[in-house]
Amino acid sequence: NPKFTPVNKSPVMSKTIFLVRHAKSSWEGVALRDKDRPLNDRGYRDAPVMAQILASRIKGPVRMISSPAVRAFTTAGIFRDAMQVSEPLVIKDSLYYGDEEDYLAALREVDEQYQYAVLFGHNPKVEYFCRSVKDSFNAEIPTCAVVGFTSEIDRWNDLEWNNLQYKEHFFPKEL
């Protein structure tokens, strides 16, 4: 009678991803480079409201990664403060200069201690990302929108377009 030894398999931990398109920026100061454009009044109004919605969706440690553009990392800073995230904000040039593949690559680099990751970026890259996932979300993504995805993977490095699923979205004007 052979002895039965149970296999100790841990359950798959899902990963939750949120993409945030930067809040509304200002076109005043024509001499500014695109990368240096600040938020406008509406951007400063929308970001804390959207941050509270995002905070209600995150139930653990979160890694926040932003484009280096002023409008993106200012949005990320407002979210970080409103959500009382103590972890430092990570700035990634590829979220400004790259494409949706760079957004996916940034997620693959997230440390395993995080179940949640939030990318702060730009259109059209945010829209391209949304269209690239298995169950694509094909819509115009307004400024300060939050779009959520899940993936049933153990490690961030295993993230692929075909194992990412659209979950939900929140648009400022719909609130």
Side-chain angles (χ1 to χ4, degrees):
N1 204 358
K3 225 178 174 180
F4 174 73
T5 309
V7 177
N8 186 8
K9 269 195 96 168
S10 61
V12 172
M13 289 294 294
S14 68
K15 305 294 185 190
T16 303
I17 295 105
F18 291 97
L19 262 62
V20 179
R21 182 177 172 201
H22 65 77
K24 193 77 174 162
S25 60
S26 175
W27 286 95
E28 290 178 23
V30 178
L32 287 177
R33 296 180 313 156
D34 177 72
K35 193 174 172 183
D36 296 329
R37 287 191 295 119
L39 296 184
N40 68 13
D41 290 343
R42 191 172 112 208
Y44 280 108
R45 273 194 317 272
D46 287 349
V49 173
M50 298 307 290
Q52 290 307 314
I53 290 168
L54 184 58
S56 73
R57 297 292 191 266
I58 293 180
K59 310 290 184 220
V62 59
R63 171 53 82 200
M64 293 184 156
I65 306 166
S66 177
S67 153
V70 170
R71 61 194 180 275
F73 75 73
T74 302
T75 302
I78 292 169
F79 272 68
R80 186 176 166 268
D81 292 347
M83 294 171 62
Q84 299 179 342
V85 173
S86 60
E87 296 284 329
L89 180 63
V90 175
I91 303 293
K92 270 205 151 319
D93 285 348
S94 61
L95 297 187
Y96 181 76
Y97 296 105
D99 60 18
E100 67 276 13
E101 292 293 336
D102 293 296
Y103 281 49
L104 188 64
L107 290 166
R108 287 184 186 130
E109 295 172 4
V110 171
D111 190 275
E112 295 310 322
Q113 70 176 321
Y114 301 102
Q115 181 184 349
Y116 299 90
V118 184
L119 298 185
F120 294 86
H122 308 269
N123 263 358
K125 297 158 208 157
V126 170
E127 288 179 3
Y128 294 162
F129 185 101
C130 292
R131 290 181 193 141
S132 297
V133 302
K134 181 173 69 176
D135 297 323
S136 67
F137 178 67
N138 192 359
E140 287 186 25
I141 308 295
T143 53
C144 215
V146 175
V147 185
F149 303 88
T150 59
S151 184
E152 298 298 319
I153 54 173
D154 287 317
R155 297 179 355 212
W156 285 102
N157 196 42
D158 295 333
L159 197 60
E160 299 289 343
W161 294 120
N162 67 0
N163 62 29
L164 255 172
Q165 282 191 289
Y166 162 75
K167 182 179 176 186
E168 60 190 345
H169 72 274
F170 304 95
F171 293 173
K173 287 187 177 180
E174 293 178 353
L175 304 175

